[in-house]
Each structure stands twice: as C-alpha cells, then as structure tokens.
Amino acid sequence: MLLSLASLFWALNPIVGRAARDLFSPLSLAFWRWVVALLFVLPFAWRHVVADRRVLRESWRLLAMLGVFGVGVFAFIVYWSLQLTTATNSLLLQSTMPIMTLVMPSILFGERIRPLLIASATLSFAGVVWIVTRGQPFALHLGGLNHGDLLALTGVFLYSAYATFLRKVPTIHHITLLAVLFAVGMGTLAVPYLVSLADSGVAMPQIEVIGAVLYVGIFPSLIAYAFFNRAVVLIGSVRAGVHMNLPTVFGVFLAVLLLGERLETYHMVGAAIVVAAIFVSRRVAAGQTENRGERKP
C-alpha cells in the first residue's frame, strides 16, 4: 500500500505540471515546490541538522552538487519539458530511469558493466528512440525531435546521476539529507526566480496555482519519499524496486483520464520495449543483491 500510494503521488507530479503549464512558469513551479517542501520538513529536521553539522561541513561540496543538479535543475527541466511535450511522453521516458540508474555507475565510476545490463540498456535506448521519433526511428534527425522529449531525457540523465552519487554521501540522518537538498534546490532557483519576477512583475496567485504548488511541494516531494523509504525497510529494496514502474502505469492512465491525452500505437510499442528492458535489468539487480549477500525478504 505504501509503495502504491508513493507511486500515485509521483505519477501525479507531471500531470499537475502539464495541467498548470499555462498558469505559471516552470521556474516558478520548481522554486515554490522546494520552498513548500523545505517549510514542511524543517521543523522535524532542524535538530538532526544541528547534530549532523560537522559532517555537513565536511561534505558540503558533494551535497551542493546533488542539491543543484539532482533537485533544483532537475525539477526545473522536468516542468520545462512539460511545456513542450505531453505528460504521457514524459512518463514513458521517465520509465527508463531505473535502467539508467543501473548503468550510471559504469559511466561515472568506470565500474564493470555486465552483459545483461548492456542488453537491458540497449533495449531501453531502442524504446526511447521509438517514443521520441513517434514510431519512425529510421527517419530520425535532431531537428525533427520534440524539444520537450529531449528535455525529459536530460532530466532522466540528471536524476540517474544524482541517484548514483548518493552512494558517496556520508552517514547522516535521512531527514537531514532531505532538508539540505531541498534548501540547496530552492537556493539554486532563487536568483533566476527573482530575476524573472523583476522582469514580469508580481501577480496575485490564483487558487489553482496555490493548489498545484501545495501538491508538488507536499505529496511527491515529502510524503512519497517517506512512504517509499518505509516500504524499503518493510519488504526490502529488491521488491520495492519492482514497484518503481508503477508511476508510469498510473501516470499514463491518469494523463488519458484527466488531461484527455491519447495513447498512440507508438507509445504502446515503445513502452513494451522498455518493459522488456526493465525485466532484464531486474534480473541484473537481483543478481547484484545476491552477490552482495543481501538477504531477500
């Protein structure tokens, strides 16, 4: 239940971003998302931040990099992409994130990549190409690609790199980590946001804008992560990882239901290829867990 609710909250994030694209800028939505998230988490995190202050001082460069690119820039790029492409496309492209996260250690740290993982990554790339070319991969040319799809893929790359570098974070309380990353993400976007305000002026927010900001700041940013972390404790990381495909399933269904988007044939073919890649990658992940001696629940 916790994993299903977390997946639902994550799935609704691009739905809200797409629905609110005409109400305010992606920069505004990304900035206020982390403001709200920080305001809600800080009362619980403050004493842990104080207790972890020595470790925070020693690892500030790594935490700053994670907060800038994995939180601030990532959120802005995702919401920017939703100005230019559908929520359906964004969700399907994000479904490659678990595979990219498995491949990223090889790209960043030169770790040996297993043959099955190469096959998985190749399949996943084929599914991505099928989706972004609208089912015409042999007619591929950069100028004909949807810029929103390219931005969504950039977001996938950034978050996968962020997830990979998380292994380098020293031992601190998980709420401390959330508060610090939210604060850095907010700070990253603060200056561009203030510049945009100076250029466009301040307007009274509509009720829809307030609702969207509260949703993205609370549910996918705080509650979903809390539910997911607790679920991993209860059933283990391998079984929890399988549920990481649920946001795409929920999201595509909700995009059709709430936004009136159409599920095209090329979506289904591309999704089928990505699902095959995910199946292969799960075998790799399970094998890695067994090799490390992790007990399966």
Side-chain angles (χ1 to χ4, degrees):
M1 181 61 70
L2 292 175
L3 286 168
S4 296
L5 287 172
S7 298
L8 177 62
F9 297 152
W10 278 326
L12 280 166
N13 184 44
I15 303 294
V16 171
R18 178 67 176 172
R21 67 189 184 278
D22 296 327
L23 298 176
F24 52 173
S25 70
L27 179 59
S28 299
L29 183 56
F31 172 75
W32 284 105
R33 172 182 181 176
W34 301 125
V35 170
V36 170
L38 181 62
L39 289 175
F40 273 85
V41 78
L42 201 55
F44 305 100
W46 183 249
R47 64 187 179 92
H48 300 294
V49 171
V50 172
D52 292 327
R53 63 186 181 279
R54 182 184 61 82
V55 182
L56 294 177
R57 283 196 298 266
E58 293 173 352
S59 55
W60 71 267
R61 290 180 180 86
L62 173 62
L63 293 171
M65 181 189 70
L66 291 174
V68 169
F69 294 103
V71 178
V73 176
F74 166 73
F76 168 63
I77 286 179
V78 168
Y79 294 135
W80 184 13
S81 74
L82 290 165
Q83 299 277 320
L84 305 171
T85 192
T86 63
T88 299
N89 270 35
S90 178
L91 286 156
L92 289 173
L93 293 172
Q94 286 180 38
S95 70
T96 63
M97 199 175 290
I99 300 164
M100 181 69 78
T101 303
L102 286 174
V103 173
M104 195 60 70
S106 175
I107 298 173
L108 296 177
F109 305 131
E111 294 184 4
R112 180 177 175 271
I113 188 167
R114 302 175 68 179
L116 271 178
L117 197 51
I118 294 175
S120 171
T122 303
L123 267 178
S124 178
F125 179 74
V128 166
V129 170
W130 194 272
I131 292 168
V132 299
T133 61
R134 308 301 194 261
Q136 297 181 325
F138 300 109
L140 175 63
H141 59 97
L142 189 60
L145 296 179
N146 183 292
H147 291 172
D149 291 343
L150 297 178
L151 285 169
L153 285 173
T154 302
V156 170
F157 179 85
L158 281 178
Y159 196 84
S160 300
Y162 158 81
T164 302
F165 272 106
L166 276 177
R167 67 171 67 181
K168 302 291 186 178
V169 174
T171 302
I172 55 177
H173 197 281
H174 66 94
I175 294 183
T176 297
L177 181 61
L178 280 181
V180 169
L181 293 179
F182 291 166
V184 174
M186 180 190 72
T188 302
L189 301 172
V191 172
Y193 175 70
L194 291 175
V195 170
S196 72
L197 280 186
D199 181 58
S200 60
V202 180
M204 183 64 66
Q206 304 174 39
I207 188 65
E208 294 89 347
V209 170
I210 297 173
V213 166
L214 287 176
Y215 177 80
V216 300
I218 297 172
F219 288 90
S221 304
L222 283 177
I223 297 178
Y225 278 101
F227 282 5
F228 181 79
N229 292 343
R230 178 57 181 163
V232 169
V233 172
L234 292 174
I235 68 171
S237 60
V238 174
R239 286 174 61 192
V242 176
H243 287 74
M244 289 306 295
N245 304 315
L246 278 180
T248 299
V249 176
F250 288 158
V252 169
F253 173 78
L254 290 169
V256 173
L257 182 65
L258 300 177
L259 300 178
E261 296 184 359
R262 293 182 59 185
L263 191 60
E264 306 287 354
T265 302
Y266 73 82
H267 285 137
M268 291 183 283
V269 173
I273 297 172
V274 172
V275 166
I278 290 169
F279 176 76
V280 175
S281 72
R282 290 303 173 208
R283 294 192 61 183
V284 177
Q288 290 174 343
T289 299
E290 290 174 351
N291 290 338
R292 290 194 303 265
E294 180 178 322
R295 183 181 65 86
K296 286 188 176 182

